[in-house]
Amino acid sequence: MASPRPDDSDRFMRRALRLASRGRGRTSPNPMVGAVLVRDGEVVGEGFHRAVGEPHAEVEALAVAGARARGATLYVTLEPCCHHGRTGPCTDPVIAAGVRRVVVGVEDPNPRMCGRGVEKLRAAGIEVLVGVREEACRALNAGFLSLHERGRPHVLLKLAVTLDGRLAAAGGDSRWVTAPPARRRVQVMRAQHDAIAVGSETALRDDPLLTLRTATGRPRRRQPRRVIFDGRLRLRPGARLFTEPGGGRVVVVTRREAPEAARRRLREVGAEIVEVAADDAGLDLGQALAALGEMGILSVMCEGGAGLASSLLRAGLVDQLALFVAPKLLGGAHSLPMLGELGVQNMDSALMLGKMGVARVGPDLLITAVPER
C-alpha cells in the first residue's frame, strides 16, 4: 500500500475541518468533529458529528467505508473518544475496522479523555500522529476547549459603533448603528454561539429579543439561550424577552443578595436565576461564566453594553472582539461611548489587541481582534 504523500495529512485534515463545521450550532455541548478515511490516496469514507446523541464522525466515516476501512488512514479533527457517553466509544470501532493509521488534529482536553484515546489506539498497534492543523482544529472548537481547559465558555464581545466610537445617541437611540448587511452578519454569528448576553442597561434601554431569525424575520428553530447580567434585578417581567415567543431560554445572572421578591417575579415568567458573588465593582463575571459552562454553554456572544463590555475586558474574560464600525459620527458629550472605565492610567498600560482582521460588510467595517493577556 502506498504511503501518504507529505502534504496529504494537511489536505485531508482541511477536508475533515470543512465536514466538522457542518455541525455548527447543533452539537453543543459536544464538540464539532469531522472524519475522513483514505486508502491508497482515495477517500473511501467520511462523516461528521451532526447533533447531540447522533453517531460520531468516526462511526459515520467507517459506516460509509465498510470493508475498505481496513488498512486505511483516518483523519479526524479531535482525538477519538474512548469512553461511554450518549454514544459508545469511537476507538473500539476504529480498531475493529482494521484502520492502519490515525491522524488527529488536537487532543481532547475532556478529563475523561486527556490522551487516553490516542493511547488506546497505539496499544492496538495503530500508528497515531497528533497535531496536524492544530490551530485550525482548536479554533473550530474554541468553546469546547475553553470549557475543559479553563472551566468557562469562550467569549466573543460584539459591539456596533459609529466611527467616533459611540454605541447610541444622546437620547439613547441605537437603532440602527449599522446597515442591514452587518445586521445579517450578526445573525450568522449568533447562530454559532450557545448563548447571547447583554447587561441590564442594554436590556432596559433597548428591550431586545436577542433571537436568532431567518431572512424572513421569523425565529429559527434552534435558539441560543439569552443571558442578562443584572446585579440589581431591574429586568421587568413585561420585557419582550418574556412576552414574545420564539426565543431561547432566559438566564438572569444576579448577586446572591438580590431581593427574593424580584427573583420570584422573574421565575414566574420563566427566567432561570443564577446567583454569583458580587462586590462594589459588580458581579463576579468569572464565577458567572463558570456557572454558564456548568449548564453546557460552550460559547457566549456578548452584545454589550458599555458597562458589561468594560467589565469583561478588565477581568481578562474576552477571547475575541468583533467591532462593527459604521461610517457615522455622533459626537457630543452625552452620546454613549462603547466602553467604560478600563483602569488604564497611561499608554503603557493600554489593553493591546492582536491577530487583527478588517473586512467590509456593506458600508460598514468589521474589525476582529484578540485581546492580549
Side-chain angles (χ1 to χ4, degrees), residues 156-162 167 177-178 186 189 301-306 308-310 313 321-325 337-339 365-367:
L156 168 71
L157 174 59
K158 188 278 296 183
L159 296 170
V161 301
T162 60
L167 292 173
V177 173
T178 53
V186 169
M189 294 164 68
M301 179 175 168
C302 176
E303 300 199 20
L308 178 58
S310 303
L313 287 166
L321 174 68
L323 186 65
F324 288 91
V325 182
M338 74 176 193
L339 294 175
L365 291 180
L366 171 58
I367 300 173

Side-chain angles (χ1 to χ4, degrees), residues 147 151-153 155 197 227-230 251-256 274-278 282-295 297 300 308 312 317:
L147 184 61
R152 66 165 179 84
V155 176
V227 179
I228 313 298
F229 290 90
D230 186 4
V251 179
V252 180
V253 180
T254 191
R255 61 181 66 219
R256 295 191 181 118
V274 174
E275 302 170 10
V276 299
L283 299 172
D284 185 328
L285 294 177
Q287 191 179 113
L289 288 172
L292 296 179
E294 289 173 2
M295 296 178 182
I297 293 173
V300 176
L308 178 58
L312 288 167
L317 296 172

Side-chain angles (χ1 to χ4, degrees), residues 17-222:
L17 280 162
R18 288 194 297 271
L19 284 165
S21 67
R22 292 168 62 181
R24 193 180 299 279
R26 296 188 296 273
T27 64
S28 185
N30 289 351
M32 292 172 279
V33 183
V36 178
L37 272 165
V38 179
R39 181 171 173 173
D40 293 329
E42 177 190 356
V43 173
V44 295
E46 60 185 24
F48 66 97
H49 185 38
R50 298 174 184 272
V52 175
E54 295 196 15
H56 287 189
E58 301 93 321
V59 174
E60 275 209 348
L62 288 167
V64 173
R68 294 177 296 173
R70 183 162 299 277
T73 295
L74 171 66
Y75 298 88
V76 60
T77 54
L78 186 72
E79 175 185 8
C81 64
C82 62
H83 63 276
H84 287 270
R86 291 183 177 88
T87 59
C90 293
T91 48
D92 293 355
V94 170
I95 294 167
V99 171
R100 179 178 65 88
R101 182 170 178 258
V102 176
V103 179
V104 175
V106 63
E107 285 191 352
D108 188 339
N110 188 325
R112 292 183 294 178
M113 289 293 297
C114 296
R116 293 191 183 97
V118 168
E119 290 173 5
K120 188 170 183 178
L121 293 172
R122 285 175 173 158
I126 296 174
E127 178 190 349
V128 181
L129 174 65
V130 179
V132 173
R133 295 197 66 82
E134 182 172 0
E135 185 174 354
C137 291
R138 289 188 65 86
L140 176 74
N141 281 306
F144 177 80
L145 296 171
S146 178
L147 184 61
H148 289 291
E149 292 174 348
R150 298 182 295 179
R152 66 165 179 84
H154 180 274
V155 176
L156 168 71
L157 174 59
K158 188 278 296 183
L159 296 170
V161 301
T162 60
L163 195 57
D164 53 346
R166 301 288 163 161
L167 292 173
D173 180 25
S174 61
R175 295 183 180 176
W176 294 100
V177 173
T178 53
R183 301 203 295 274
R184 288 193 292 270
R185 178 69 67 88
V186 169
Q187 291 292 318
V188 173
M189 294 164 68
R190 284 182 175 183
Q192 297 171 352
H193 289 79
D194 294 337
I196 305 165
V198 297
S200 58
E201 289 291 344
T202 299
L204 291 169
R205 184 185 69 240
D206 297 345
D207 196 17
L209 281 172
L210 303 179
T211 51
L212 183 60
R213 311 188 77 78
T214 66
T216 63
R218 295 178 180 174
R220 291 189 185 180
R221 200 173 299 171
R222 181 260 178 192

